[in-house]
Amino acid sequence: MARRRQLYEGKAKILFEGPEPGTLVQYFKDDATAGNGAKKGTITGKGVLNNRISEYLMTRLSEIGIPNHFIRRLNMREQLIREVEIIPLEVVVRNVAAGSLATRLGITEGQRLPRSIIEYYYKNDQLNDPMVAEEHITCFGWAATQDLDDMVALTLRVNDFLTGLFLGVGITLVDFKLEFGRLWENEEMRIVLADEISPDNCRLWDAKTGEKMDKDRFRRDLGKVEEGYQEVARRLGILPEAGPRDMTGPEVMQ
Ligand code: UDP
C-alpha cells in the first residue's frame, strides 16, 4: 500500500495529504516541546488524548456555529481536516494572569483579569514567535483588518463557550492559543478555526484546588504530566479507558 505523502512535520503534529483534494490528515505525536523547542520530551499517550480532546471541543464549537477545519476523527492519533491557508498568527486569550503575562508584567499568577485580554504573536520559530500589535499585522499583510475583526469575534465566542464548558466540569480556563486559516469555497473566503484545542495550548486549572492539568506540568517539571491530560479527558467524559459509564458526556460539577 502506498504511504501517504507527508506535507509538514511540526513539534507536536504531522500533516499528511488527505484522501480527497482540499483535505489533510492531522497526526498527533507524543512529542512535547517548551520554550520554542529549548526543552524536549515525550508525554506518553498525549497524541491520543489531544486528538480526542480536540475532536470533542471542535465538534462542540461547530454545533454553536464556530466554523473550523475539523471533519472527523479517523483513528486514535489521526483526524481528517480541511486544508486551509494558515494565517501566521497565534491568538492568545487570557482570563487569569499566568505564564508570559505574569512574568513580563510582574503580575501575580492566578490573578483574575478584570476583562479578557487578546494578544497576537507572529508565528515564526526563528524569531521566537514575537508578540505583535494589530498595526504590525496589517502593515506586513499577515491579515487584513476584516480578517482580524473576524478572528477577534470568533475568539471571543470561543472563549465564552469554552469557559462555560470547562467550568461545568470543574476546570478554570486560564488562557489558550488559537490559530486560524482561510478556507476558500466557491471563490468566497471564510476565516475558520484551525490547529488544535488541547491541554498543549490551553492552561486548565482545577476550579477548586488550582491544580494544573495542562502542558505547564511538563514546562515546569511538576510531574504527573500524563495524568493531567487524562484528567481533562476524563472530566469531559471522553476517556475511553474510563469505561462506558464515563462516556455518556461531561461530568457536571455542582
Ligand atoms: N501557547 C501555545 N503556543 C505557544 C505559546 C503559547 O499554545 O507557542 C499557549 C499556552 O499554552 C498558554 C497560552 O498560549 O495557554 C499563553 O501562553 P504564554 O504567552 O503565557 O506563553 P508561555 O509562557 O506558556 O510560553
Side-chain angles (χ1 to χ4, degrees):
M1 199 175 76
R3 270 306 285 166
R4 292 163 307 181
R5 197 151 66 94
Q6 182 176 317
L7 302 176
Y8 170 82
E9 175 154 15
K11 297 185 202 96
K13 297 188 291 291
I14 305 175
L15 290 177
F16 295 98
E17 210 168 54
E20 291 129 40
T23 65
L24 300 176
V25 173
Q26 183 165 246
Y27 176 96
F28 288 74
K29 302 192 279 186
D30 283 350
D31 297 354
T33 62
N36 191 24
K39 180 180 162 93
K40 287 197 175 73
T42 303
I43 303 174
T44 310
K46 171 173 84 81
V48 175
L49 290 166
N50 282 358
N51 186 23
R52 195 72 187 84
I53 292 169
S54 200
E55 171 198 21
Y56 179 78
L57 298 176
M58 290 290 190
T59 305
R60 297 287 83 79
L61 288 168
S62 285
E63 287 165 2
I64 63 152
I66 306 278
N68 65 66
H69 74 165
F70 180 81
I71 302 174
R72 69 189 144 85
R73 189 164 60 89
L74 297 171
N75 54 51
M76 297 278 274
R77 286 187 184 270
E78 293 177 329
Q79 51 182 242
L80 187 66
I81 57 170
R82 262 176 244 291
E83 183 172 24
V84 300
E85 183 189 308
I86 287 285
I87 294 170
L89 295 174
E90 300 194 336
V91 181
V92 168
V93 192
R94 304 180 182 273
N95 301 307
V96 176
S100 69
L101 176 89
T103 40
R104 221 165 42 82
L105 304 180
I107 294 167
T108 313
E109 190 160 83
Q111 193 177 308
R112 179 153 282 281
L113 300 170
R115 64 183 189 88
S116 302
I117 294 176
I118 296 186
E119 296 170 348
Y120 308 105
Y121 294 83
Y122 177 44
K123 257 170 80 77
N124 185 316
D125 283 345
Q126 268 105 49
L127 300 175
N128 257 322
D129 298 346
M131 188 195 268
V132 292
E134 205 172 315
E135 299 280 279
H136 302 104
I137 297 170
T138 51
C139 178
F140 298 113
W142 300 323
T145 306
Q146 182 60 54
D147 299 343
L148 262 181
D149 288 350
D150 291 353
M151 286 160 65
V152 168
L154 289 171
T155 298
L156 292 173
R157 289 185 64 203
V158 171
N159 187 41
D160 280 350
F161 182 76
L162 291 186
T163 296
L165 184 147
F166 277 116
L167 205 56
V169 296
I171 295 175
T172 303
L173 178 60
V174 170
D175 57 30
F176 59 99
K177 185 260 296 183
L178 297 178
E179 292 188 26
F180 293 89
R182 297 187 182 89
L183 183 64
W184 297 88
E185 278 169 333
N186 308 321
E187 309 201 357
E188 287 213 358
M189 190 274 284
R190 262 200 314 164
I191 301 282
V192 304
L193 193 55
D195 194 48
E196 68 176 289
I197 307 178
S198 73
D200 264 12
N201 44 41
C202 299
R203 283 198 170 90
L204 303 167
W205 296 354
D206 181 276
K208 286 207 181 102
T209 66
E211 175 103 355
K212 298 184 196 324
M213 293 182 256
D214 55 64
K215 206 166 100 176
D216 272 351
R217 300 205 70 85
F218 168 79
R219 291 190 190 102
R220 303 180 186 187
D221 296 318
L222 298 176
K224 298 200 171 171
V225 185
E226 287 83 0
E227 286 85 345
Y229 284 68
Q230 274 165 20
E231 180 60 13
V232 172
R234 193 192 69 77
R235 292 211 194 169
L236 292 173
I238 54 175
L239 188 67
E241 289 85 348
R245 195 184 61 81
D246 286 310
M247 296 280 290
T248 49
E251 176 186 293
V252 178
M253 306 289 274
Q254 301 304 318

Coordinates of all heavy atoms in Angstrom, one line a residue, residues 173-250:
L173 N -10.6 27.9 32.8 CA -9.9 28.1 31.5 C -9.1 29.4 31.7 O -9.6 30.5 31.6 CB -10.8 28.2 30.3 CG -10.2 28.5 29.0 CD1 -9.3 27.4 28.6 CD2 -11.3 28.7 27.9
V174 N -7.8 29.2 32.0 CA -7.0 30.4 32.4 C -6.6 31.2 31.2 O -6.8 32.4 31.1 CB -5.7 29.9 33.1 CG1 -4.7 31.0 33.3 CG2 -6.1 29.3 34.5
D175 N -6.0 30.5 30.2 CA -5.7 31.1 28.9 C -5.6 30.0 27.8 O -5.6 28.8 28.1 CB -4.4 32.0 29.0 CG -3.2 31.2 29.5 OD1 -3.1 30.0 29.2 OD2 -2.3 31.8 30.1
F176 N -5.5 30.4 26.6 CA -5.3 29.5 25.5 C -4.9 30.2 24.2 O -5.0 31.4 24.1 CB -6.6 28.6 25.2 CG -7.8 29.4 24.9 CD1 -8.2 29.5 23.5 CD2 -8.6 30.0 25.8 CE1 -9.3 30.2 23.2 CE2 -9.7 30.7 25.5 CZ -10.1 30.8 24.2
K177 N -4.4 29.4 23.3 CA -3.9 29.9 22.0 C -4.8 29.3 20.9 O -5.0 28.1 20.8 CB -2.5 29.5 21.8 CG -1.8 30.0 20.6 CD -1.7 29.1 19.5 CE -0.9 27.9 19.7 NZ -0.7 27.0 18.6
L178 N -5.2 30.2 19.9 CA -5.9 29.7 18.8 C -5.1 30.1 17.5 O -4.3 31.0 17.5 CB -7.3 30.4 18.7 CG -8.3 30.1 19.8 CD1 -9.6 30.9 19.5 CD2 -8.6 28.7 19.9
E179 N -5.4 29.3 16.5 CA -4.8 29.6 15.1 C -6.0 29.6 14.1 O -6.9 28.8 14.3 CB -3.7 28.6 14.7 CG -2.5 28.8 15.6 CD -1.3 27.9 15.1 OE1 -1.2 27.6 13.9 OE2 -0.5 27.6 16.0
F180 N -5.9 30.4 13.1 CA -7.0 30.5 12.1 C -6.4 30.3 10.7 O -5.2 30.4 10.5 CB -7.6 31.9 12.2 CG -8.4 32.1 13.5 CD1 -7.7 32.6 14.6 CD2 -9.7 31.7 13.6 CE1 -8.4 32.8 15.8 CE2 -10.4 31.9 14.8 CZ -9.8 32.5 15.9
G181 N -7.3 29.9 9.8 CA -6.9 29.8 8.4 C -8.0 30.3 7.5 O -9.1 30.6 7.9
R182 N -7.6 30.5 6.3 CA -8.5 30.9 5.2 C -9.0 29.7 4.5 O -8.2 28.9 4.0 CB -7.9 31.9 4.3 CG -7.4 33.2 4.9 CD -6.9 34.2 3.9 NE -6.4 35.4 4.6 CZ -5.2 35.5 5.0 NH1 -4.3 34.6 4.7 NH2 -4.8 36.6 5.6
L183 N -10.3 29.6 4.4 CA -10.9 28.5 3.6 C -11.7 29.1 2.4 O -12.5 30.0 2.6 CB -11.9 27.8 4.6 CG -12.6 26.5 4.0 CD1 -11.6 25.4 3.7 CD2 -13.6 26.0 5.0
W184 N -11.3 28.6 1.3 CA -11.9 29.1 0.0 C -13.0 28.1 -0.4 O -12.8 26.9 -0.6 CB -10.9 29.3 -1.1 CG -9.8 30.3 -0.7 CD1 -8.7 30.1 0.0 CD2 -9.9 31.7 -1.0 NE1 -8.0 31.2 0.2 CE2 -8.7 32.2 -0.4 CE3 -10.8 32.5 -1.7 CZ2 -8.4 33.6 -0.5 CZ3 -10.5 33.8 -1.8 CH2 -9.3 34.4 -1.2
E185 N -14.2 28.7 -0.6 CA -15.3 27.9 -1.1 C -16.1 28.7 -2.2 O -16.6 29.8 -1.8 CB -16.3 27.5 0.0 CG -15.9 26.4 0.9 CD -16.7 26.2 2.1 OE1 -17.2 27.2 2.7 OE2 -16.8 25.1 2.6
N186 N -16.2 28.2 -3.4 CA -16.8 28.9 -4.5 C -16.3 30.4 -4.6 O -17.2 31.3 -4.6 CB -18.3 28.9 -4.3 CG -18.9 27.5 -4.1 OD1 -18.4 26.6 -4.8 ND2 -19.8 27.3 -3.2
E187 N -15.1 30.5 -4.6 CA -14.4 31.9 -4.7 C -14.7 32.8 -3.5 O -14.5 34.0 -3.6 CB -14.8 32.5 -6.0 CG -14.6 31.6 -7.2 CD -14.4 32.2 -8.5 OE1 -14.6 33.5 -8.7 OE2 -14.2 31.5 -9.5
E188 N -15.3 32.2 -2.5 CA -15.6 33.1 -1.3 C -14.6 32.6 -0.2 O -14.4 31.4 0.0 CB -17.0 32.9 -0.8 CG -18.0 33.6 -1.7 CD -19.2 34.2 -1.0 OE1 -19.3 34.0 0.2 OE2 -20.0 34.8 -1.7
M189 N -14.1 33.5 0.6 CA -13.1 33.2 1.6 C -13.8 33.3 3.0 O -14.5 34.3 3.2 CB -11.9 34.1 1.5 CG -10.8 33.7 2.4 SD -10.9 34.3 4.0 CE -10.4 36.1 3.8
R190 N -13.6 32.4 3.8 CA -14.0 32.4 5.2 C -12.9 32.2 6.1 O -12.0 31.3 5.8 CB -15.0 31.3 5.4 CG -16.5 31.7 5.3 CD -17.4 30.7 6.0 NE -17.1 29.3 5.7 CZ -17.6 28.3 6.4 NH1 -18.4 28.6 7.5 NH2 -17.3 27.0 6.1
I191 N -12.9 32.9 7.2 CA -11.9 32.6 8.3 C -12.4 31.5 9.2 O -13.5 31.6 9.7 CB -11.6 33.9 9.1 CG1 -11.2 35.0 8.3 CG2 -10.7 33.6 10.3 CD1 -9.7 35.0 7.8
V192 N -11.6 30.4 9.3 CA -12.1 29.3 10.2 C -11.0 29.0 11.2 O -9.8 29.3 11.0 CB -12.4 28.0 9.4 CG1 -13.5 28.3 8.3 CG2 -11.2 27.4 8.8
L193 N -11.4 28.4 12.3 CA -10.5 28.0 13.4 C -9.8 26.8 12.9 O -10.3 25.9 12.2 CB -11.4 27.6 14.6 CG -10.8 27.4 15.9 CD1 -10.0 28.6 16.3 CD2 -11.9 27.1 16.9
A194 N -8.5 26.7 13.2 CA -7.6 25.6 12.7 C -6.8 25.0 13.9 O -7.2 25.2 15.0 CB -6.7 26.1 11.6
D195 N -5.8 24.2 13.5 CA -4.8 23.7 14.5 C -5.6 22.7 15.5 O -6.3 21.8 15.0 CB -4.1 24.8 15.2 CG -2.9 24.4 16.0 OD1 -2.1 23.6 15.5 OD2 -2.8 24.8 17.2
E196 N -5.4 22.9 16.8 CA -6.0 22.0 17.8 C -6.3 22.8 19.0 O -5.8 23.9 19.2 CB -5.0 20.9 18.2 CG -3.8 21.4 18.9 CD -2.9 20.3 19.4 OE1 -3.2 19.6 20.4 OE2 -1.8 20.3 18.9
I197 N -7.2 22.3 19.8 CA -7.5 22.9 21.1 C -7.3 21.7 22.1 O -8.1 20.8 22.1 CB -8.9 23.5 21.2 CG1 -9.2 24.5 20.1 CG2 -9.1 24.2 22.6 CD1 -10.6 25.1 20.1
S198 N -6.3 21.8 23.0 CA -6.0 20.7 23.9 C -5.2 21.3 25.0 O -4.8 22.4 25.0 CB -5.2 19.7 23.1 OG -3.8 20.2 22.9
P199 N -4.8 20.4 26.0 CA -4.0 20.9 27.1 C -2.6 21.3 26.7 O -1.9 21.9 27.5 CB -3.9 19.7 28.1 CG -5.2 18.9 27.7 CD -5.4 19.1 26.3
D200 N -2.2 21.1 25.4 CA -1.0 21.6 24.9 C -1.0 23.1 24.7 O 0.0 23.8 24.8 CB -0.6 21.0 23.5 CG 0.3 19.8 23.7 OD1 0.5 19.3 24.8 OD2 0.8 19.3 22.6
N201 N -2.2 23.6 24.4 CA -2.3 25.1 24.1 C -3.3 25.8 24.9 O -3.7 26.9 24.6 CB -2.4 25.4 22.6 CG -3.4 24.5 22.0 OD1 -4.5 24.2 22.5 ND2 -3.1 24.0 20.8
C202 N -3.8 25.2 26.0 CA -4.7 25.8 27.0 C -4.1 25.7 28.4 O -3.4 24.7 28.7 CB -6.0 25.1 27.1 SG -7.0 25.0 25.6
R203 N -4.3 26.7 29.2 CA -4.0 26.5 30.7 C -5.3 26.1 31.3 O -6.3 26.9 31.3 CB -3.4 27.7 31.3 CG -1.9 27.9 31.0 CD -1.2 28.9 31.9 NE 0.2 28.8 31.7 CZ 0.9 29.6 30.8 NH1 0.2 30.5 30.1 NH2 2.2 29.4 30.6
L204 N -5.3 24.9 32.0 CA -6.5 24.4 32.6 C -6.2 24.1 34.1 O -5.3 23.3 34.3 CB -7.0 23.1 31.8 CG -7.2 23.3 30.3 CD1 -7.3 22.0 29.6 CD2 -8.5 24.2 30.1
W205 N -6.9 24.8 35.0 CA -6.6 24.6 36.4 C -7.9 24.0 37.1 O -9.0 24.5 36.7 CB -6.3 25.9 37.1 CG -5.0 26.6 36.6 CD1 -4.1 26.0 35.7 CD2 -4.5 27.8 37.0 NE1 -3.1 26.9 35.6 CE2 -3.3 28.1 36.4 CE3 -5.0 28.8 37.9 CZ2 -2.5 29.2 36.5 CZ3 -4.2 30.0 38.0 CH2 -3.0 30.2 37.4
D206 N -7.7 23.1 38.0 CA -8.9 22.7 38.8 C -9.5 23.9 39.4 O -8.8 24.7 40.1 CB -8.4 21.6 39.8 CG -9.6 21.1 40.6 OD1 -10.1 21.8 41.6 OD2 -10.2 20.1 40.2
A207 N -10.8 24.0 39.3 CA -11.5 25.2 39.7 C -11.5 25.4 41.2 O -11.5 26.5 41.8 CB -13.0 25.2 39.2
K208 N -11.4 24.3 42.0 CA -11.4 24.3 43.4 C -9.9 24.4 44.0 O -9.6 25.3 44.8 CB -12.0 23.1 44.0 CG -13.5 23.1 43.9 CD -14.2 22.3 45.0 CE -15.7 22.4 44.8 NZ -16.3 21.1 44.2
T209 N -9.0 23.6 43.5 CA -7.7 23.5 44.1 C -6.7 24.3 43.4 O -5.6 24.5 43.9 CB -7.2 22.0 44.2 OG1 -7.1 21.6 42.8 CG2 -8.2 21.1 44.8
G210 N -6.9 24.6 42.1 CA -5.9 25.4 41.3 C -4.9 24.4 40.7 O -4.0 24.9 40.0
E211 N -5.0 23.1 40.9 CA -4.1 22.1 40.4 C -4.0 22.3 38.8 O -5.1 22.4 38.2 CB -4.6 20.7 40.8 CG -3.9 19.6 40.2 CD -2.9 18.9 41.2 OE1 -2.8 19.4 42.3 OE2 -2.3 17.9 40.8
K212 N -2.8 22.3 38.3 CA -2.6 22.4 36.8 C -2.9 21.1 36.1 O -2.4 20.1 36.5 CB -1.3 23.0 36.5 CG -1.0 24.3 37.1 CD 0.4 24.8 36.7 CE 0.9 26.0 37.6 NZ -0.1 27.0 38.1
M213 N -3.6 21.2 35.0 CA -3.9 19.9 34.2 C -3.5 20.2 32.8 O -4.3 19.8 31.9 CB -5.4 19.6 34.3 CG -5.9 19.2 35.7 SD -7.6 18.8 35.7 CE -8.2 20.3 36.4
D214 N -2.4 20.8 32.5 CA -2.0 21.2 31.1 C -0.5 21.1 30.9 O 0.2 20.6 31.8 CB -2.5 22.6 30.9 CG -2.0 23.6 31.9 OD1 -0.7 23.7 32.0 OD2 -2.7 24.1 32.7
K215 N 0.0 21.6 29.8 CA 1.4 21.5 29.5 C 2.3 22.1 30.5 O 3.5 21.8 30.5 CB 1.6 22.0 28.1 CG 2.9 21.3 27.4 CD 2.9 21.5 26.0 CE 3.9 22.6 25.6 NZ 4.1 22.8 24.2
D216 N 1.8 23.0 31.3 CA 2.7 23.6 32.4 C 3.3 22.5 33.3 O 4.4 22.7 33.8 CB 2.0 24.6 33.2 CG 2.0 26.0 32.6 OD1 2.8 26.2 31.6 OD2 1.3 26.9 33.1
R217 N 2.6 21.4 33.4 CA 3.2 20.3 34.2 C 4.5 19.8 33.6 O 5.4 19.4 34.3 CB 2.2 19.1 34.3 CG 0.8 19.5 35.0 CD 0.2 18.2 35.6 NE 0.9 17.8 36.8 CZ 0.7 18.4 38.0 NH1 -0.2 19.3 38.2 NH2 1.5 18.0 39.0
F218 N 4.5 19.8 32.3 CA 5.8 19.5 31.5 C 6.8 20.6 31.5 O 7.9 20.5 31.9 CB 5.4 19.1 30.1 CG 6.6 18.9 29.2 CD1 7.4 17.8 29.2 CD2 6.9 19.9 28.3 CE1 8.5 17.7 28.3 CE2 8.0 19.8 27.4 CZ 8.7 18.7 27.4
R219 N 6.3 21.8 31.2 CA 7.2 23.0 31.1 C 7.9 23.2 32.4 O 9.0 23.6 32.4 CB 6.3 24.3 30.8 CG 5.7 24.3 29.4 CD 5.2 25.8 29.2 NE 4.3 25.9 28.0 CZ 3.0 25.9 28.0 NH1 2.3 25.8 29.2 NH2 2.3 26.0 26.9
R220 N 7.2 23.0 33.5 CA 7.7 23.4 34.8 C 8.1 22.2 35.7 O 8.3 22.3 36.9 CB 6.7 24.2 35.6 CG 6.3 25.5 34.9 CD 5.2 26.3 35.6 NE 4.7 27.4 34.8 CZ 3.9 28.3 35.2 NH1 3.5 28.3 36.5 NH2 3.5 29.3 34.4
D221 N 8.2 21.0 35.0 CA 8.6 19.8 35.7 C 7.8 19.5 37.0 O 8.4 19.2 38.0 CB 10.2 19.8 36.1 CG 11.0 19.9 34.8 OD1 10.7 19.2 33.9 OD2 12.0 20.7 34.8
L222 N 6.5 19.6 36.9 CA 5.7 19.4 38.0 C 5.3 17.9 38.3 O 4.7 17.6 39.3 CB 4.4 20.2 37.9 CG 4.5 21.7 37.8 CD1 3.2 22.4 37.5 CD2 5.2 22.3 39.0
G223 N 5.7 17.0 37.3 CA 5.4 15.6 37.4 C 3.9 15.3 37.1 O 3.2 16.3 36.8
K224 N 3.6 14.0 37.0 CA 2.2 13.6 36.7 C 1.6 14.4 35.5 O 0.5 14.9 35.5 CB 1.3 13.8 37.9 CG 1.7 13.0 39.1 CD 0.5 12.8 40.0 CE 0.8 11.8 41.1 NZ -0.1 11.8 42.2
V225 N 2.5 14.4 34.4 CA 2.0 15.2 33.2 C 0.9 14.4 32.5 O -0.1 15.0 32.2 CB 3.2 15.4 32.2 CG1 2.8 16.2 31.1 CG2 4.4 16.0 33.0
E226 N 1.1 13.1 32.3 CA 0.1 12.3 31.6 C -1.2 12.3 32.3 O -2.3 12.4 31.7 CB 0.6 10.8 31.5 CG 1.7 10.5 30.5 CD 3.1 10.8 31.1 OE1 3.2 11.2 32.2 OE2 4.1 10.6 30.3
E227 N -1.1 12.3 33.7 CA -2.3 12.3 34.5 C -3.1 13.5 34.3 O -4.3 13.5 34.3 CB -1.9 12.1 36.0 CG -1.5 10.7 36.4 CD 0.0 10.4 36.1 OE1 0.6 11.2 35.4 OE2 0.5 9.4 36.7
G228 N -2.4 14.7 34.1 CA -3.1 15.9 33.9 C -4.0 15.9 32.7 O -5.2 16.3 32.7
Y229 N -3.4 15.4 31.6 CA -4.1 15.3 30.3 C -5.3 14.4 30.4 O -6.4 14.6 29.9 CB -3.2 14.9 29.2 CG -2.2 16.0 28.6 CD1 -1.2 16.5 29.4 CD2 -2.3 16.5 27.4 CE1 -0.3 17.5 29.0 CE2 -1.5 17.5 26.9 CZ -0.5 17.9 27.7 OH 0.4 18.9 27.2
Q230 N -5.0 13.2 31.1 CA -6.0 12.2 31.2 C -7.2 12.8 32.0 O -8.4 12.5 31.7 CB -5.5 11.0 32.0 CG -4.8 10.0 31.1 CD -4.0 9.0 31.9 OE1 -4.2 8.8 33.1 NE2 -3.0 8.4 31.2
E231 N -6.9 13.5 33.1 CA -8.0 14.1 33.9 C -8.9 15.0 33.1 O -10.1 15.0 33.3 CB -7.3 14.8 35.2 CG -8.3 15.4 36.1 CD -9.3 14.4 36.8 OE1 -9.1 13.2 36.6 OE2 -10.3 14.9 37.4
V232 N -8.3 15.8 32.2 CA -9.1 16.7 31.4 C -10.1 15.9 30.6 O -11.3 16.1 30.5 CB -8.2 17.6 30.5 CG1 -9.1 18.4 29.5 CG2 -7.4 18.5 31.3
A233 N -9.5 14.8 29.9 CA -10.4 14.0 29.1 C -11.4 13.3 29.9 O -12.6 13.2 29.5 CB -9.5 12.9 28.4
R234 N -11.0 12.8 31.1 CA -12.0 12.1 32.0 C -13.1 13.0 32.4 O -14.3 12.7 32.3 CB -11.3 11.6 33.2 CG -12.1 10.6 34.0 CD -11.5 10.3 35.4 NE -11.6 11.5 36.3 CZ -12.7 11.9 36.9 NH1 -13.8 11.2 36.8 NH2 -12.7 13.0 37.7
R235 N -12.8 14.3 32.7 CA -13.9 15.2 33.1 C -14.8 15.5 32.0 O -16.0 15.8 32.2 CB -13.3 16.4 33.7 CG -12.6 16.1 35.0 CD -12.6 17.3 35.9 NE -11.7 17.2 37.0 CZ -11.4 18.1 37.9 NH1 -12.0 19.3 37.7 NH2 -10.6 17.9 38.9
L236 N -14.2 15.6 30.8 CA -15.1 15.9 29.6 C -15.9 14.7 29.2 O -16.8 14.7 28.3 CB -14.2 16.3 28.4 CG -13.5 17.7 28.6 CD1 -12.5 17.9 27.4 CD2 -14.5 18.8 28.7
G237 N -15.6 13.5 29.9 CA -16.4 12.3 29.6 C -16.0 11.6 28.3 O -16.8 10.9 27.7
I238 N -14.7 11.8 27.9 CA -14.3 11.2 26.7 C -13.0 10.3 26.8 O -12.3 10.1 25.9 CB -14.0 12.3 25.6 CG1 -13.0 13.3 26.2 CG2 -15.3 13.0 25.2 CD1 -12.5 14.4 25.2
L239 N -12.8 9.8 28.0 CA -11.6 9.0 28.2 C -12.0 7.5 28.0 O -12.8 7.0 28.8 CB -11.0 9.1 29.6 CG -9.7 8.4 29.9 CD1 -8.6 9.1 29.1 CD2 -9.4 8.5 31.4
P240 N -11.6 6.9 26.9 CA -12.2 5.6 26.5 C -11.9 4.6 27.6 O -12.8 3.8 28.0 CB -11.4 5.2 25.3 CG -10.8 6.4 24.7 CD -10.7 7.4 25.9
E241 N -10.7 4.6 28.3 CA -10.4 3.6 29.3 C -11.3 3.7 30.5 O -11.3 2.8 31.3 CB -8.9 3.8 29.8 CG -7.9 3.4 28.7 CD -7.6 4.5 27.7 OE1 -8.3 5.5 27.7 OE2 -6.6 4.4 27.0
A242 N -12.0 4.8 30.7 CA -12.8 5.0 31.9 C -14.0 4.2 31.8 O -14.8 4.1 32.8 CB -13.1 6.5 32.1
G243 N -14.3 3.5 30.7 CA -15.5 2.6 30.6 C -16.7 3.4 30.1 O -16.8 4.6 30.2
P244 N -17.7 2.6 29.7 CA -18.9 3.2 29.1 C -19.6 4.2 30.0 O -20.2 5.2 29.5 CB -19.8 2.0 28.8 CG -19.0 0.8 29.2 CD -17.8 1.2 29.8
R245 N -19.6 4.0 31.3 CA -20.4 4.9 32.2 C -19.9 6.3 32.0 O -20.6 7.3 32.1 CB -20.3 4.4 33.6 CG -21.3 5.1 34.6 CD -21.0 4.6 36.0 NE -19.7 5.1 36.4 CZ -19.4 6.3 36.9 NH1 -20.3 7.2 36.9 NH2 -18.2 6.6 37.2
D246 N -18.5 6.4 31.8 CA -18.0 7.8 31.8 C -18.0 8.3 30.3 O -17.5 9.4 30.1 CB -16.5 7.7 32.2 CG -16.5 7.6 33.7 OD1 -17.1 8.4 34.4 OD2 -15.8 6.7 34.2
M247 N -18.5 7.6 29.4 CA -18.5 8.0 28.0 C -19.8 8.8 27.7 O -20.0 9.2 26.6 CB -18.4 6.8 27.1 CG -17.1 6.1 27.2 SD -15.8 6.9 26.3 CE -16.3 6.7 24.6
T248 N -20.7 8.9 28.6 CA -22.1 9.4 28.3 C -22.0 10.9 28.1 O -22.9 11.5 27.6 CB -23.1 9.0 29.4 OG1 -22.5 9.3 30.6 CG2 -23.4 7.6 29.3
G249 N -21.0 11.6 28.6 CA -20.9 13.0 28.5 C -20.2 13.6 29.6 O -19.6 12.9 30.5
P250 N -20.1 15.0 29.6 CA -19.3 15.6 30.7 C -19.9 15.3 32.1 O -21.0 15.1 32.2 CB -19.4 17.1 30.3 CG -20.1 17.2 29.1 CD -20.7 15.9 28.7

